[in-house]
Amino acid sequence: MKRKDFLLNALPAAALLPEVINGYSVKAFDQQSPLVQALMRGQTVTDHVLVIVQLSGGNDGLNMVIPVADYSKYYNARTNIAIPENRVLPIAGVSGTGLHPSMTGLQTLFTEGKAKLVQAVGYPQPNFSHFRATDIWMSASNSNQEVYSGWAGRYLNYEFPDFPTGYPSTTMPDPLAIQIGSTTTLTTQGPTANMGMSITNPTNFYNLVNGTTDPVPSTPAGKELKYIRQVNQQTQKYSTVIKNAANSITQQGTYPTGNSLADQLKIVARLIAGGLKTRVYMVSFGGFDTHSVQVGATDTTTGNHATLLQRVSDAIKAFQDDLKFQNVEDRVVGMTYSEFGRRIKSNSSTGTDHGAAAPMFLFGSNIESGMLGVNPTIPASATVNDNIPMQYDFRSIYSTLLEKWFCLDKTVVDSLFPPNINSQLQSLSIIKAGACSGITPPPPTSGDVLITNSPNPFTSSTTIKFKTAGGHTFIQIIDTLGRVIKILADREYTAGTYTLDFNSEGLPTGIYYARFQNGVTQQVRAMMKVR
Amino acid sequence: MDRRAFLKARRLNRAATDDIQQPFRTQSGISAYTGAWTEQEVIHLLKRTMFGAKPSDINYFRSMSMNQAVDELLNPTAPQPNPPVKEYATSTTPGVTPDGNIAQGTTWINDINSDGTVQSQRRGSYKKWWTGVLVNQDRSIREKLIMFLVDHFGNEASEVGNANWNYKQHSLIRQYALGNYKELVREISKDVAMLRYLNGYLNNKNAPDENYARELMELFTLGKGPGSQYTENDVKEAAKVLTGWQVNGTTYTSVFNLNRHTTTNKTFSAFFNNTVITGRNTATAGDLELADLLNMIFAQQEVAKFLLRKMYRWFVYYSIDAATETNVIEPLAEIFRSNNYELKPVLSALFKSEHFYDLLNRGCMIKTPSDIVIGSMREMNVAFKPETDWDTNYGLWNTFNSWMVNMGQNLHDPPNVSGMPAYYQEPSFHEIWINSDSLPKRNQFTDTMINSGYARNSFRVQFNCVAFAQSLSNPGNPNDLIDEAIRVFFRNELSAQSKSQIKTQILLTGQQWDYYWTNAWTAYVSNPTTANFNTVNTRLKSLFQYLFNLSEYQLA
């Protein structure tokens, strides 16, 4: 038997490739499988950006998107907070469903064909705890499952493996993800490292962009604190690129004032227009936990919730206009979400309690405008326990964005979600066709085999031969559970062919992967240890 | 301009800078502190005299008076740690000397073996052991003082090479750390590692080697301050006094060899009142003349001042202006001298002084790498295995020792005989610890300890954020939780706005009501399921990671 034939046979039909996240195995069928091919290709070249707008507290979707066609059921369920039918804003191209009267900005985006409403987004067995529900939305886990990484983190980890080692790099000089105004980073948590830059870093964006820091006392402690902060600023890997990007934009569209979401989105627009290659931005806006007094005493179209919705609507409209003004509109897609909606039936204190599914908005010039789904089902006489049943699983929104906006192979997309959900992921019509057609496809797999080992199979030690194009070269040995067993190379090399010994003493027999990484190139070599 | 002139010019510039910074410093002196004795003062005392202030230690010392607390810190009752053990494997390679006399898990400190590889393994064992001793320190100043003195005498263990000798020097310092400094200098002058490191073993009547004599005056006793006026000839004469000491390579002891000793009289300069040390020609000449030499040197006022300045920079702050010199260094030096160079009375006076507790002296100490690595593990209650599981312990301690090395502090291996630059290099001093390389590593260390920690033999050490929160007085209240954590970890208060932001964004995940945290915490305490644990653990990990990444965390 030739060595090559042996290897093909030796690889089990479904060899497990290194684990991508806790509890998920990327199943590879053989070297020809699309996934293995995709994994070996390296990062997708795209300038697309996703902006995630988190509405914290559980937004009352039923007062944001009103089921005009079922108005009497809606009204009966929440007489004390219902929006009068004649005040509901119509949505272009959609009948029987309208928007809260304060959302004129968003209404305009629908008219311009730049917004999408997805009805009743949720997940099976909804959780009513803010914390748990938020974790579920950020990790894309199932309701009864603990996942310790975030969906965007897994995506970015796929595109930029081994981050933060080797970053910033020539091809990715900028932060992978930027979170503004929130330290909750589960969304961008990768399998081992957080892929996002957030204000968990000592110098936050406000400081970076606006150049301000808190004052220090005029004491020796203050002197030292000032010194350490200075070094912190200098060592913040991305401070210069962020400052440069921000400073290159001197003119922006008009944003509403006294609107913290608008403040955040204004920074995002500035950084995108300023040329950052950052793919994911997160902003958050709180106050949606409206258990009581969500509407004004005399006019249900006013009050707390109306103010919140107006801010969301105005901020997104101003952001979209600014992106157009900056000529980057076609690169950006945004989405809103809240950890849950609220109960159908209002409570007597003119508020609503924690609920389940709720509508989501997507916005951008590349969004397939209109509405997905139908008005939520509302019982004729709603009780306190009634919730809006889910129409779309939120993970289908995520997976569609990954596939149709970030242009990933569907097989790869599936690998980024829990195995028991990925077969159910729907490809939804939310992104305009052709959004990925202008995208430079990933560099084709080079015919060159860059990493080999001999002998293979081996008993205790094998020699790994690799060919680097020069620069930082990284070789790790990974077992079938995805654990990094050893890092064989992690330094600058001059171009050439090198050998390194992998001594497997003490390791069980089985398959090990030698993963080679050099610049944007990566290859995985399967090696078999036998008795 | 030669190097010395350059340094002198810099010192003059430094004095000018000090004037500008004058408002920063204080006039307070060494009168007994009579102010409040609260948790704040306890934490200040503990962070300066130990590695980190553990919540349980804070509570322990808080129940005492300030005098009792300082007395307890200066009078350790815990036995000295057991010596390092062989935790490495004996070589089986033909032609390589194996460390075969010693069984794994037993100590090598009394076994003579001059093989380079064996000694290198023993040096590793020594460093790992020391790391373990630090993290398991008793409630006393002992370990921080020993670290000071080992740094003060500036030996490079790797250059000495012989781990038995390095350990012997460490033990000598350990024995005298809370004893008599003059006696320690006497013993260290004959210490085998020191004889080797500063060439004392080569110093003989035919070819005097001035290396040790020079450093004895410049680095160990008199310094180069304005009050130190010894001459080049004094160095030469002192070297003659010290001739004849050798190292016995088969017993690892120092011996005095009269045949190599300069037996003539040694005459010193006017700075030493033209002292003449009588040359001896007997077997005890070495000891007798050494005693005369140290009596002469220690009669100088400058010795106490010099050592006090160094200790001040180790325990209080690096900037010593005219007021500090007059109000603190000089009176403490007087105490040091009048107590015949006993260390306890002078340390007691320092740690009971109003100057030490002066608000201007709090929170200004940049943490050393050992404060970060050892201190954070102690504050987070990281525990290791019992002594019998040396394999697990030494493996883990090796990791933590490496972290300290990577952050710039290689214990017992400073860059040169001057010790760590952070304690003498003007004008930066402690700020040298923080640079664009070391600061990210400090953050990376605490990040790693929060997120994964380190495991060996299936035993994992990491920061248990939930357990830490549980040890606080009211973890169910997010405001109290953050307040109390900040009090333990930081010396500088955060603004109410910052704390509110941290609470809302981290503990409440953007929610506006405190009870969401309270409910999550209560749910975990009453029903510690994995899901309930994760809900609080995720948020607490983010909280501590955020706090440890703040610049404030770098100060003690």
Side-chain angles (χ1 to χ4, degrees), chain A residues 57-58 128 130 287-294 304 340 342-343 346-355, chain B residues 511-513 515-516:
Chain A
F128 299 102
H130 287 290
F288 288 87
D289 196 14
T290 52
H291 286 277
S292 63
V293 218
Q294 73 177 64
N304 206 357
F340 41 64
R342 304 191 82 81
R343 223 63 67 78
S346 60
N347 59 36
S348 55
S349 58
T350 62
T352 42
D353 293 325
H354 299 182
Chain B
Q511 304 299 328
Q512 68 232 80
W513 311 115
Y515 60 75
Y516 285 125

Side-chain angles (χ1 to χ4, degrees), chain A residues 32-73:
Chain A
Q32 275 71 49
S33 90
L35 176 62
V36 173
Q37 293 296 325
L39 279 173
M40 289 179 168
R41 269 205 302 260
Q43 71 190 66
T44 319
V45 179
T46 174
D47 62 355
H48 286 178
V49 172
L50 173 67
V51 179
I52 302 173
V53 180
Q54 182 192 4
L55 308 177
S56 299
N59 176 33
D60 184 15
L62 206 48
N63 261 21
M64 176 170 79
V65 176
I66 294 110
V68 186
D70 299 313
Y71 190 80
S72 62
K73 286 181 189 168

Side-chain angles (χ1 to χ4, degrees), chain A residues 56-57 130-131 134-135 146 148 181-184 199-200 202 214 218-221 223-225 227-229 231-232 235 287-289 291 339 354, chain B residues 21 24 317-318 360 362-364 366 431 434-436 439 501 505-509 511-513 516 520 531 534-535 539 546 549 551-552 554-555:
Chain A
S56 299
H130 287 290
F131 289 176
T134 305
D135 291 351
E146 298 290 333
Y148 303 95
S182 169
T183 45
T184 307
I199 70 164
T200 47
D214 296 339
S218 70
T219 60
K223 175 180 185 287
E224 303 312 332
L225 187 56
Y227 168 73
I228 297 165
R229 281 183 183 166
V231 179
N232 241 332
T235 55
F288 288 87
D289 196 14
H291 286 277
E339 67 267 33
H354 299 182
Chain B
Q21 293 171 352
F24 278 174
Y317 191 49
Y318 60 80
L360 286 172
R362 298 192 197 183
C364 53
I366 289 178
E431 290 179 353
I434 301 280
N435 56 51
S436 58
L439 187 54
Q501 188 185 346
Q505 297 191 344
I506 304 181
L507 283 185
L508 300 180
T509 334
Q511 304 299 328
Q512 68 232 80
W513 311 115
Y516 285 125
N534 285 332
T535 299
R539 286 161 180 83
Y546 180 84
N549 276 287
S551 299
E552 279 83 349
Q554 303 303 328
L555 293 170

